[in-house]
Amino acid sequence: MRVVSLVPSLTEAVAVSAPGVLVGATDWCTHPADLDVTRVGGTKNPAIDRVLALAPDLVVANEEENRAPDLDALRAAGAEVLVTEVRDVPQAFRELARVLDACGARPRPAWLRDAEAAWARPPARDPRVTAVVPIWRRPWMVLGRDTFAGDVLARLGVDHRYAGDADRYPKVSPDALRATAPDVVVLPDEPYRFTADDGPEAFPGLPCALVSGRHLTWYGPSLAEAPRVLDEALRAAGR
C-alpha cells in the first residue's frame, strides 16, 4: 500500500504504526525525526501534481488543516482521500483507529493503547484553573470554541476563557486577554513559536506556561505522553 499524508499528526501515526506504507508527507511533517519520504509542500498548499506522481492508494487529510479545493482536486484526479475531523480527545482516538485501519496497521499499535490509558486517567487540577491560550501574534489569536487543544486542556483541569466564543480562533488584543484575568496564560511553541523571550512580556504579572505545541495540538503517538508533559509545564508556571 502507498499512502500520502497531508497532516503532521497522521504522518507520525502512520509512519510508526505501518512502516513502509508512507511514501509522501508535507514539509511540516517533522516526526518521526528520521522520516525519509517525498515532500509534497505545505498542509495549506500541497503540490497536487507531486502527490499524484506518487500514485498513492490513499491520501489522508484533515478538514481543518487542509483546504477543501486541494482535496477536491485530488479526488477529481482519481485519488482516494480520507478526511478526518478531530475536535476532542475521544474523536481523535476514533479517527486514528479509522486511519490506521485504512492504512493496514495490524495489530493495534501499543502507543495507541498507552494513549487511551493515559487519557482515561489524566492528571487534573482541583480546583480547576482558567486560561487564555494564544496560538498566534501579529495579529493575536487564541483558542476559541470547539477545538481539540481546548478539550485537551479541559481534561487537565484548565478552562480557557474563549471556549464559548462564536469563532474557533478569535482575534483578541493582549489588553482584552489580560482583562479576562486568567489564572495562567498558555503559550505553545506552535503554530506560533512562543518562547520565554517572545510572548510572556505581553502579560506582565500573569503566570505563563510555555508548552509543547506537539503535545497540545497533535493527535498521534504524542498523545501517550501529552497528559504528563502538559501537566508538568502547567504546574511549573504556577510555582
Side-chain angles (χ1 to χ4, degrees):
M1 185 169 196
R2 298 172 62 81
V3 177
V4 172
S5 172
L6 302 181
V7 185
S9 297
L10 300 179
T11 295
E12 183 179 16
V14 173
V16 303
S17 306
V21 308
L22 199 67
V23 295
T26 75
D27 300 340
W28 298 105
C29 294
T30 57
H31 288 73
D34 60 351
L35 183 65
D36 183 18
V37 297
T38 298
R39 301 296 174 160
V40 298
T43 56
K44 303 297 186 186
N45 57 344
I48 302 301
D49 56 346
R50 210 178 305 164
V51 174
L52 296 173
L54 292 170
D57 298 299
L58 181 67
V59 177
V60 292
N62 175 263
E63 51 87 29
E64 179 176 22
E65 294 199 49
N66 307 120
R67 300 185 318 127
D70 293 324
L71 304 183
D72 290 342
L74 288 168
R75 292 190 186 95
E80 181 177 349
V81 181
L82 187 161
V83 182
T84 59
E85 178 181 313
V86 177
R87 302 293 176 87
D88 57 37
V89 172
Q91 191 175 33
F93 287 132
R94 292 194 298 271
E95 291 290 64
L96 282 165
R98 185 164 71 101
V99 168
L100 295 179
D101 183 65
C103 293
R106 304 285 191 282
R108 188 179 182 84
W111 68 260
L112 187 54
R113 295 195 301 270
D114 292 344
E116 289 172 328
W119 282 103
R121 297 176 299 278
R125 272 141 206 78
D126 185 16
R128 299 177 69 87
V129 299
T130 60
V132 292
V133 191
I135 56 154
W136 202 258
R137 66 183 302 175
R138 305 182 193 97
W140 285 88
M141 300 173 68
V142 297
L143 290 185
R145 65 169 179 83
D146 195 23
T147 65
F148 172 73
D151 185 64
V152 164
L153 289 172
R155 291 170 188 274
L156 296 175
V158 180
D159 300 315
H160 70 92
R161 292 296 202 191
Y162 290 85
D165 196 90
D167 296 325
R168 297 187 67 216
Y169 302 101
K171 296 177 182 178
V172 188
S173 71
D175 287 343
L177 294 178
R178 289 191 296 268
T180 67
D183 295 314
V184 63
V185 179
V186 178
L187 297 170
D189 60 11
E190 64 174 83
Y192 185 89
R193 188 173 181 77
F194 289 106
T195 68
D197 300 319
D198 184 358
E201 81 287 346
F203 304 97
L206 290 175
C208 290
L210 294 167
V211 304
S212 162
R214 176 168 168 262
H215 291 97
L216 180 62
T217 65
W218 287 36
Y219 36 91
S222 58
L223 279 171
E225 59 185 16
R228 174 185 57 80
V229 171
L230 293 172
D231 181 65
E232 289 174 354
L234 289 164
R235 291 189 186 281
R239 290 174 188 157

